[in-house]
Every structure is written in structure tokens, then in C-alpha cells.
Amino acid sequence: MDADTPAGIQPGEASGALSVLRPMGVEPGAFIHSTADRRLATEQWLLATLPTPLRDRARWEWQQYRVAMLPLGGLFSAVRIPEFLLAALSISSEAGCLDEFPAEALGAGPVICDPRFSRYYALVPAGMPATLQQMAEAWRALDVDCLGRGSYLGVPRPDAVNGEHAPASYWSVPMDSAAVLCSPLTVARLIAAGRHCVDTETEA
């Protein structure tokens, strides 16, 4: 079975089942890239979602608005998670704490926050497991959605890592390296745990 296929996860899965993936340690002798190098590589990778003639336009949008519309389903897709699901799992509903929570819960995979609509977007591989998409259908009433080919997402420039320029979207969890994405399985567990907490609070 594919390791990223969230088979057997039920929508009411308890928060205790939420697993946290830890970043791997650096091997001895590994070459460490500077932050500037990684940010440039990330920028180039994100822009590779566009045809070459449109990349300058996206750079201009990043410069002017901090956000550029990029197509999904080519290099990466996104899972939309409403803020209240994260707040249900986090110790605090304060914005700063909510930004820290997905970094731990999703193993430092990249997450975008859209403060205008109180939503977070976990970036995942372009080919999401069919099981995750089916589960997202069951969670649609919670404003959860899997966004892939045919969808566009407002992606902040790589250095937009805080919400001081609200209402512009920003990186709640920055993309530390090009092509490093969230695990769909871990995202599914996070959503299932959040739904369980919300359902429990509603029943109380």
C-alpha cells in the first residue's frame, strides 16, 4: 500500500492519532545551502509552474502585492484547511500560535495562511491519493477541499513569512527547500483530528 494513502482513517479519528513527522537530521559532510540560496531555489521552483513568458509577471506580482497566482496540479497541489479546525487542536487561537502549530503537526511542510478568509493551505504533491480526495468530499461542509489541476492559488513570495501586511497571504510555514511538501497522510490525520475535536465540542 502506498505510504501516502490514508486508508482506514475515519473522519472521527481522535486527536491522539495525529502523528508528527520530524525533519531528518543532516548527514555528516552534507553541503549546507545558505538561506538566500534556498529561497532563490524555492522561488525558481514555484515559478516553474508557469510557462516561461508568464514568470516575469509573477515576479512583478510578488514585488507589488507579495502574492502571485500560480496554477496547481503540475508541481504541487493544496489542501484547504479552515482556521477553526487548527484552532480546535491548538493550545491557543492566537494567530502566532496557530502559525506555529502546523509547523509541528505537519513536519515543517509548507503551509500558506490566507487571513482574509481564515484559511490555511497545506502544499502537497501534485498527485494526491484518491482516498484523500474522497475524504475531502466528506469534509466539504467544513470548508475542507483538495485543490489540484484547474485551480489557482495565491502563493506568497518566499520571504513573505509573517502576517504584518494583512490581508495579504503569507507563509505560515515557509517552504524551506524547493519541492519539499507536506505528506498527504499527515494532512488527512490533522483534518480528522480537528473534526473530532469540533464534533466533541459541539456535543458537549
Side-chain angles (χ1 to χ4, degrees), residues 62 70 131 133 144 146 151 153 167 204:
W62 271 340
L70 300 182
T131 308
Q133 298 184 46
V144 172
C146 292
S151 299
L153 180 65

Side-chain angles (χ1 to χ4, degrees), residues 18-38:
L18 178 63
S19 65
V20 177
L21 301 179
R22 300 294 182 185
M24 295 185 352
V26 178
E27 295 295 329
F31 183 74
I32 306 299
H33 293 275
S34 70
T35 299
D37 288 342
R38 292 199 307 272

Side-chain angles (χ1 to χ4, degrees), residues 49 70-78 123-128 146-153:
T49 59
L70 300 182
L72 300 175
L75 294 181
F76 61 92
S77 294
L123 302 192
V124 297
M128 287 182 285
C146 292
L147 306 174
R149 193 169 299 277
S151 299
Y152 282 75
L153 180 65

Side-chain angles (χ1 to χ4, degrees), residues 17 23 28 41 66 77 82 119 122 154 176:
R66 289 177 32 116
S77 294
R119 293 168 173 170
D176 189 54

Side-chain angles (χ1 to χ4, degrees), residues 21-175:
L21 301 179
R22 300 294 182 185
M24 295 185 352
V26 178
E27 295 295 329
F31 183 74
I32 306 299
H33 293 275
S34 70
T35 299
D37 288 342
R38 292 199 307 272
R39 189 165 288 170
L40 178 59
T42 297
E43 175 182 313
Q44 293 174 340
W45 186 79
L46 291 170
L47 291 175
T49 59
L50 293 166
T52 302
L54 299 180
R55 294 176 188 175
D56 285 343
R57 172 71 184 186
R59 288 190 182 94
W60 180 85
E61 290 176 350
W62 271 340
Q63 187 65 31
Q64 295 296 315
Y65 308 115
R66 289 177 32 116
V67 176
M69 297 300 294
L70 300 182
L72 300 175
L75 294 181
F76 61 92
S77 294
V79 180
R80 185 176 69 210
I81 307 171
E83 182 181 284
F84 72 86
L85 282 183
L86 294 183
L89 293 168
S90 178
I91 297 175
S92 171
S93 61
E94 294 295 326
C97 291
L98 284 184
D99 286 342
E100 294 173 1
F101 178 73
E104 178 181 357
L106 298 178
V111 179
I112 295 169
C113 176
D114 182 353
R116 296 168 300 172
F117 299 104
S118 300
R119 293 168 173 170
Y120 287 78
Y121 295 85
L123 302 192
V124 297
M128 287 182 285
T131 308
L132 176 57
Q133 298 184 46
Q134 293 168 3
M135 294 171 69
E137 285 293 327
W139 296 331
R140 193 173 294 278
L142 297 173
D143 196 31
V144 172
D145 201 2
C146 292
L147 306 174
R149 193 169 299 277
S151 299
Y152 282 75
L153 180 65
V155 176
R157 68 190 190 205
D159 65 344
V161 295
N162 61 64
E164 294 179 359
H165 298 273
S169 295
Y170 63 94
W171 292 98
S172 169
V173 185
M175 179 175 276

